[in-house]
């Protein structure tokens, strides 16, 4: 796997992915993305007393451009919204770009400040 930095919108000729699961692995400080039982992506983070910093997103290159990175980021942010009140710092360029494009998640950047 290599860094996922590019847009990850579904391409029109590809069907939307099915059998996708996102798992939170707090002991490893990451969210993992599973497709049909295979891990195909991860999103690393660092938690401090005052923020959650998303540092790195990866998606298997063979699975890119299927919208998988977007699913991973959205579900991770939804989880953060429900289980903590800490603000999110989007250090990872993909996460920052995704939040910029989704106004309904921008409040996570400023909460608690």
């Amino acid at each position: 796997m290599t860094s996922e930095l590019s847009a990850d919108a579904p391409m029109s000729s590809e069907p939307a992915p099915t059998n996708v699961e996102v798992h939170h692995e707090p002991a490893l400080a990451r969210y993992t993305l599973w497709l049909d039982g295979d891990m195909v992506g991860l999103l690393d983070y660092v938690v401090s007393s005052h923020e959650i910093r998303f540092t790195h997103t990866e998606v298997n290159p063979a699975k890119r451009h299927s919208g998988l990175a977007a699913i991973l980021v959205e579900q991770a942010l939804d989880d953060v919204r429900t289980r903590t009140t800490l603000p999110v710092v989007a250090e990872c360029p993909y996460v920052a770009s995704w939040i910029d494009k989704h106004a309904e998640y921008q409040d996570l950047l400023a909460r608690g400040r």
Side-chain angles (χ1 to χ4, degrees), residues 2 25 27 32 34 39 44 47 51 54 58 68 72 96 98:
T2 59
E25 299 181 13
T32 54
W34 297 78
M39 191 180 89
D44 293 322
V47 178
E51 66 190 15
F54 284 98
E58 290 185 17
L68 293 172
L72 176 59
W98 192 92

Side-chain angles (χ1 to χ4, degrees), residues 1-11 14 40 57-69:
M1 286 191 223
T2 59
S3 282
E4 173 64 87
L5 300 177
S6 61
D8 194 38
M11 298 185 71
E14 295 182 29
V40 296
T57 306
E58 290 185 17
V59 171
N60 179 327
K63 303 296 182 187
R64 289 191 184 162
H65 307 293
S66 300
L68 293 172

Side-chain angles (χ1 to χ4, degrees), residues 31-52:
Y31 289 86
T32 54
L33 178 73
W34 297 78
L35 177 63
D36 297 323
D38 294 321
M39 191 180 89
V40 296
L42 59 86
L43 174 55
D44 293 322
Y45 64 89
V46 176
V47 178
S48 71
S49 62
H50 61 282
E51 66 190 15
I52 298 174

